[in-house]
Amino acid sequence: MKRTKWMLAAAAVALSAIVVSGCSASSEPSAGGDHVFVVAIPSNPPQFNLGVTNDGSATFVGRSIFDPLVNLNTDYEVVPALAESWSANADSTEFTLNLRHGVKWHDGTDFTSADVKFYFDEVIPIHPLGAPIAAVYDHTSTPDDFTVIVSLKSPFAPFIQALAGHMMLPAHLYAGTDIATNPANLQPVGTGPYKFTSFTSGDSVIVDRNEDYWGEKGDVDEVVYRVMPDSNARALAFQSGEVDLATMLPLNQVETLKSDNRFAFDSAAMAEHLYGFFNTASATLQNADVRKALYHAIDRDEIASKVFLGTGTPSVSPVPNQVTWAIDPATDYTTEFDFDLDEAGRMLDAAGYPAGADGTRFSMNVTYRTDNASWATTADLIKTSFGKIGVNVNLVGQDTQVFADTVYTQHDFDFALQSLGAYADPSLGVARAFICNPTNGSYRNPTGVCDPVIDGAFAATAAVSDPAARLAAFKTAADAVAADLGTAPLISYNQITAYRADKWNGIDQFNSTDVWTWGALRAK
Amino acid sequence: MNVHWLRYYGRLIGSSVLLIFVVILVMFLLLEIAPGDPIQSLVGQVPVTEEFRRQMTATYGLDRPLFERFVSYVANVATGNLGYSFANREPVTELILQRLGNTLVLTLPSLVISSIGGILLGTAAARTRSKVKDGAISFAAVAGFSIPSFWLALLLIMLFAVSLGWLPAQGMASYGSKGLSVPHLILPLIALAIPELAFKARIMRSTMIGVLGEDYIDTARSKGLSSFEILRRHGLLNSMLPMVSVIGYSLGFTLAGAVTVEKVFGWPGMGMLLYTSIQTGENMVVMGILLVVAITVVIVNILTDLVYGLVDPRIRARSRMSRGVNV
């Protein structure tokens, strides 16, 4: 039977191709204990030095290797970390930090005030989030190994809050080197609950429990961060049980996963804010009344329910809704700029843009990023809604890089959608979307609005520590923003974290702060 | 091998080197005008401080003029140095070599499976007298070729990883293990091979139908050969000619397809590196990968030409006759 033989030979070749390609397989479990916790990260981390990158995946990993001086709890209250206590002078220009004793870096060196001084002197000026501190920083003195006194040139009330975003780096490895290219960026040494074990580029990062950790230790012996770039595939991998914790899942997938009682969902700590930026250099949009009319024509309740599926709410002020202490009850953009197409039409008539014979007033672009389906859907809803008042919208979807270039550098847009994190304090993460941006920096206000009242009000929110005075300054800022409306706050939301409730206890506390609280995580 | 052949292959290699140079030039200019800020992507989606931008620009010589950078790039490429990756802090050549192996364990089996499968399926469709069978194979081939591979990949994950739970959904091996495991390979391999297999089956079917209509097939039949022998000795061998070029070309498509498949399966290969590097504006890495792919495709095409000459006596004969050499 020559024929069968021939077919068999072909099948054998095909099969051996699979086997040969698989022969290098050596499934050798790495060292580590029983409890492995798998986290899906959305991209390959460029490196792990959080002093020079704010990359999402690097932050995920860095959070378990490094410690900040202080941390924030869910109520945005400062809690101790590497600093056990702190105090400020009366005008918020000098801060004294008392460091925890007996903390060691993962390589065995002692953590001391010299590390903190090095951080303020060398890392803060180049840190992605360092600008607010760098602007007021004067010098640091270290009377002993565990006392740090930071002196500022001018008052900066949220100084301690601002420290929550800063992970301490080992001065003995970084001092006198190029921080951005130091080899330790890929072999990170921290003081945190997990020690770096290995990094396979494009595949995974493995960290193992630091048995000498100063804080509470959890049940997890080893954390594996797996690179899963495709958001749908990430959701499927989570569903199939390969992953214990995943974020940045498509919201429609989250809806599907909710029906499965193995899974639970929690909002990440940081408030995110979706903004609409009006380009005030555009011929039509340079008129503030046109901008306000268009703000009236965005159905933000619909966006909150259809795009964010109830995980977001229409923003009432420049500060995201979650940060309640910074929002004056008298400020409410949802009533001041309520969804009202008739009102929007009347305002456009009055501004000199009556509907033409075909019902059209003018055309404009709405530019959005294509990396997340939510922005495309939001832009679509805006297009439909603007269409009803005779404003034709061309949708311009762009890749992250192209978007940053066209919107922030070229200013080639009419209305652009961008989501920005609020960070530990609204003076740090929110102000940048509203204050003057003369250098055209990315992820800052691209509208061209340069209003001394807005700038002054946001500066005032940072200069005083009295809560009532800060609230009043935020109110002034909110009123000034509403008067000019370059940046329109759209939706306040939080990233959703999905986790395995059937395998782990305490994830809500684990996920509650800027830094993950590994001590709270217990295996079921 | 005579002087003529040496001259022929000399010309082929010369034009290939020129082609590679043009690829470098065009890619360099395209990436130069493409928007993107490597320093920004290094930092993430937050403002870059002026101090950091100044340091990085100086460290990486980003302020040098375009022509100067191009000349030094070409000179480096000639010595096998593809530049330095900002974000990965590694020479691009090393970065690509690390990932190349992972891509090859996916693409080479895919190439073998799709070629053998395509030949078998195409032949089966060509020689069957059943309209239903032929129609079914042809329909499956068109469908297989038209399905976007990312969608096929997601469907495979949904069926085999989520619903049935037979195979893993992501990665090359179980978490915390090194190397490659066969179960992890199966789904990406299927997702990568199916469109290629379908394409090859269609080519094979039409070629085989043509060949089976030739006079020498009738001659073979009249000699009394069994239909299987006719297919094996005369049909397959003669149909292999177009298949040799198709298989050669398909390497390029398979490498391109690996980008999507690697992304969906979280496979740490060259395709995923390309995807990440485009996203982060890492032009040196993008250039390097495209160059490696271009050189591979050019080399494979030269090899295809060589193989063509070897398997087809007519081509050798024709070239001799054109020079007036006695056959």
Side-chain angles (χ1 to χ4, degrees), chain A residues 98-458:
Chain A
N98 303 306
L99 304 183
R100 195 174 293 279
H101 290 241
V103 175
K104 285 187 187 304
W105 294 100
H106 293 160
D107 63 2
T109 313
D110 289 326
F111 165 77
T112 66
S113 55
D115 293 303
V116 181
K117 178 175 167 55
F118 162 75
Y119 192 88
F120 281 111
D121 287 344
E122 307 290 330
V123 183
I124 286 281
I126 60 167
H127 192 287
L129 304 175
I133 297 178
V136 293
Y137 177 71
D138 191 45
H139 72 276
T140 297
S141 53
T142 51
D144 62 60
D145 273 0
F146 301 103
T147 309
V148 177
I149 301 169
V150 182
S151 302
L152 305 180
K153 285 181 283 197
S154 54
F156 186 57
F159 178 77
I160 297 292
Q161 283 86 340
L163 294 180
H166 289 277
M167 301 295 190
M168 290 299 113
L169 292 170
H172 65 280
L173 295 179
Y174 281 95
T177 71
D178 181 0
I179 295 168
T181 57
N182 190 300
N185 293 350
L186 285 165
Q187 304 268 327
V189 173
T191 56
Y194 288 84
K195 291 180 177 183
F196 174 80
T197 300
S198 69
F199 172 39
T200 312
S201 179
D203 184 71
S204 58
V205 189
I206 296 174
V207 297
D208 286 286
R209 189 165 56 200
N210 174 12
E211 299 301 344
D212 304 321
Y213 186 53
W214 55 266
E216 195 187 349
K217 292 191 277 280
D219 280 353
V220 174
D221 298 292
E222 183 171 83
V223 188
V224 179
Y225 295 90
R226 279 282 283 111
V227 180
M228 299 186 180
D230 190 281
S231 61
N232 286 304
R234 197 156 63 235
L236 291 172
F238 176 73
Q239 201 179 349
S240 77
E242 287 178 30
V243 173
D244 296 295
L245 186 142
T247 65
M248 291 188 231
L249 301 178
L251 285 171
N252 54 355
Q253 296 259 27
V254 170
E255 281 299 292
T256 318
L257 294 172
K258 273 183 179 163
S259 58
D260 192 324
N261 59 16
R262 287 178 301 159
F263 308 138
F265 300 86
D266 192 38
S267 298
M270 184 166 75
E272 301 271 349
H273 215 169
L274 175 65
Y275 297 107
F277 292 128
F278 287 107
N279 186 355
T280 57
S282 139
T284 324
L285 300 174
Q286 63 181 349
N287 183 339
D289 290 333
V290 174
R291 303 198 291 267
K292 288 178 194 171
L294 293 175
Y295 196 22
H296 271 294
I298 299 172
D299 189 347
R300 296 193 280 142
D301 283 315
E302 186 188 28
I303 295 172
S305 66
K306 285 191 181 162
V307 180
F308 290 87
L309 303 170
T311 62
T313 50
S315 300
V316 299
S317 87
V319 177
N321 297 351
Q322 299 93 316
V323 193
T324 45
W325 64 262
I327 302 172
D328 191 288
T331 304
D332 188 356
Y333 287 4
T334 57
T335 52
E336 194 175 349
F337 300 100
D338 59 329
F339 176 59
D340 187 344
L341 290 177
D342 297 334
E343 172 69 10
R346 278 193 297 275
M347 288 172 77
L348 288 177
D349 286 342
Y353 292 97
D358 59 348
T360 306
R361 296 172 194 271
F362 56 86
S363 296
M364 62 184 282
N365 290 341
V366 170
T367 309
Y368 62 94
R369 280 169 35 163
T370 49
D371 60 329
N372 183 328
S374 299
W375 313 146
T377 322
T378 305
D380 238 357
L381 292 174
I382 291 175
K383 179 189 164 102
T384 310
S385 170
F386 281 11
K388 288 178 188 160
I389 54 165
V391 174
N392 279 343
V393 168
N394 307 313
L395 293 179
V396 183
Q398 290 177 332
D399 171 73
T400 310
Q401 291 276 322
V402 183
F403 180 93
D405 191 66
T406 44
V407 172
Y408 297 105
T409 313
Q410 311 292 337
H411 288 266
D412 183 15
F413 71 101
D414 293 318
F415 188 66
L417 298 174
Q418 169 81 59
S419 174
L420 294 173
Y423 298 120
D425 187 284
S427 298
L428 305 171
V430 173
R432 60 178 168 155
F434 299 91
I435 60 177
C436 192
N437 177 15
T439 57
N440 292 339
S442 292
Y443 307 104
R444 295 171 181 161
N445 169 23
T447 64
V449 166
C450 241
D451 182 345
V453 181
I454 296 178
D455 293 5
F458 275 110

Side-chain angles (χ1 to χ4, degrees), chain A residues 2-4 6-7 10-11 13-14 17-19 21-30 36 38 43-47 52-55 124-131 178-182 185-186 198-204 206 222 224 226-234 236-237 239-243 369 371 399-402 404-406 418-420 423 432 439 441-444, chain B residues 34-38 40-53 55-56 59-60 84 87-90 95 98-99 102 104-106 108-109 112-113 116 119-120 127 150 153-155 157-158 161-162 167-182 184-186 189 228-229 232-233 236 260 262-269 272-273 275-276 278-281:
Chain A
K2 251 184 164 170
R3 177 180 176 166
T4 5
W6 194 83
M7 288 291 208
V13 172
I18 302 180
V19 175
S21 64
C23 74
S24 60
S26 56
S27 288
E28 214 178 275
S30 62
V36 176
V38 180
S43 61
N44 191 43
Q47 39 103 342
V52 293
T53 186
N54 190 49
D55 176 88
I124 286 281
I126 60 167
H127 192 287
L129 304 175
D178 181 0
I179 295 168
T181 57
N182 190 300
N185 293 350
L186 285 165
S198 69
F199 172 39
T200 312
S201 179
D203 184 71
S204 58
I206 296 174
E222 183 171 83
V224 179
R226 279 282 283 111
V227 180
M228 299 186 180
D230 190 281
S231 61
N232 286 304
R234 197 156 63 235
L236 291 172
Q239 201 179 349
S240 77
E242 287 178 30
V243 173
R369 280 169 35 163
D371 60 329
D399 171 73
T400 310
Q401 291 276 322
V402 183
D405 191 66
T406 44
Q418 169 81 59
S419 174
L420 294 173
Y423 298 120
R432 60 178 168 155
T439 57
S442 292
Y443 307 104
R444 295 171 181 161
Chain B
D37 177 353
Q40 180 71 61
S41 44
L42 205 58
V43 165
Q45 290 170 18
V46 289
V48 181
T49 62
E50 286 311 310
E51 172 67 14
F52 186 71
R53 182 173 293 281
Q55 281 188 15
M56 295 310 286
T59 309
Y60 293 102
Y84 192 80
N88 298 279
R89 316 206 181 283
E90 242 182 309
L95 201 60
Q98 284 168 18
R99 301 291 193 91
N102 294 346
L104 290 181
V105 294
L106 199 56
L108 290 185
V112 173
I113 290 169
I116 294 174
I119 290 169
L120 292 181
R127 68 184 289 270
F150 76 89
L154 285 174
L155 285 189
I157 295 178
M158 279 176 79
V162 178
L167 293 166
Q170 292 275 295
M172 274 181 77
S174 300
Y175 308 120
S177 354
K178 298 265 172 215
L180 168 76
S181 81
V182 177
H184 281 81
L185 181 68
I186 295 173
L189 196 54
F228 181 70
E229 278 296 293
R232 189 176 70 89
R233 285 202 198 165
L236 263 182
T260 336
E262 285 179 7
K263 182 200 162 208
V264 176
F265 286 99
W267 191 272
M272 194 154 106
L273 182 64
Y275 173 80
T276 321
I278 290 173
Q279 274 197 321
T280 53

Side-chain angles (χ1 to χ4, degrees), chain B residues 208-257:
Chain B
M208 183 61 98
I209 286 174
V211 168
L212 290 179
E214 294 280 346
D215 292 343
Y216 54 78
I217 298 291
D218 290 338
T219 312
R221 196 168 289 136
S222 62
K223 277 199 306 195
L225 283 180
S226 73
S227 65
F228 181 70
E229 278 296 293
I230 293 171
L231 196 68
R232 189 176 70 89
R233 285 202 198 165
H234 300 283
L236 263 182
L237 274 182
N238 283 297
S239 311
M240 281 315 288
L241 286 171
M243 278 313 284
V244 169
S245 346
V246 169
I247 292 169
Y249 283 127
S250 75
L251 180 72
F253 289 112
T254 310
L255 286 173

Side-chain angles (χ1 to χ4, degrees), chain A residues 60-106:
Chain A
F60 264 69
V61 179
R63 279 174 173 188
S64 50
I65 297 173
F66 297 104
D67 285 319
L69 288 169
V70 297
N71 205 355
L72 290 178
N73 65 15
T74 27
D75 301 323
Y76 277 80
E77 290 161 352
V78 183
V79 292
L82 288 177
E84 280 183 317
S85 61
W86 50 86
S87 56
N89 65 356
D91 64 350
S92 300
T93 53
E94 193 180 276
F95 293 84
T96 305
L97 300 157
N98 303 306
L99 304 183
R100 195 174 293 279
H101 290 241
V103 175
K104 285 187 187 304
W105 294 100
H106 293 160

